[in-house]
Amino acid sequence: MSAQAIRAGIIGTGFWAGYGHIPALRTLPEFEVVAVSARRKESAQQAAEKFGIPHAYEDAHDLIKDPDVDLVAVLPRPRSACRS
């Protein structure tokens, strides 16, 4: 394995991102979280500020196209949260 970390982008900034995936990836030296995206720009910016992530996107396609991102994790909202 190369000494360079795998640069991860996280799509979705809900509960599982903030309390699970992002903190877990930050503990692993093989990964660096470099971008997040959310449906609302404010949510992406809040998560980026909270975790010191350099890039925040409203459009997931922009995160996917970011040349600084090597790996993308997609964290959809839990199904129960999507019901009206």
Side-chain angles (χ1 to χ4, degrees):
M1 176 180 231
S2 160
Q4 185 175 1
I6 297 168
R7 301 168 300 176
I10 307 290
I11 297 174
T13 58
F15 177 81
W16 292 117
Y19 293 99
H21 289 76
I22 294 172
L25 286 171
R26 289 173 48 142
T27 67
L28 302 170
E30 301 91 347
F31 294 92
E32 177 185 2
V33 181
V34 297
V36 291
S37 75
R39 285 192 267 175
R40 292 181 23 243
K41 180 73 172 180
E42 299 82 25
S43 297
Q45 288 174 329
Q46 286 174 351
E49 288 174 16
K50 179 179 180 179
F51 293 105
I53 298 170
H55 304 287
Y57 296 103
E58 182 176 15
D59 188 336
H61 292 98
D62 293 334
L63 180 146
I64 293 167
K65 290 187 248 178
D66 186 328
D68 290 337
V69 174
D70 300 319
L71 169 111
V72 176
V74 180
L75 309 175
R77 294 186 327 171
R79 186 172 182 169
S80 61
C82 297
R83 294 185 184 149
S84 314

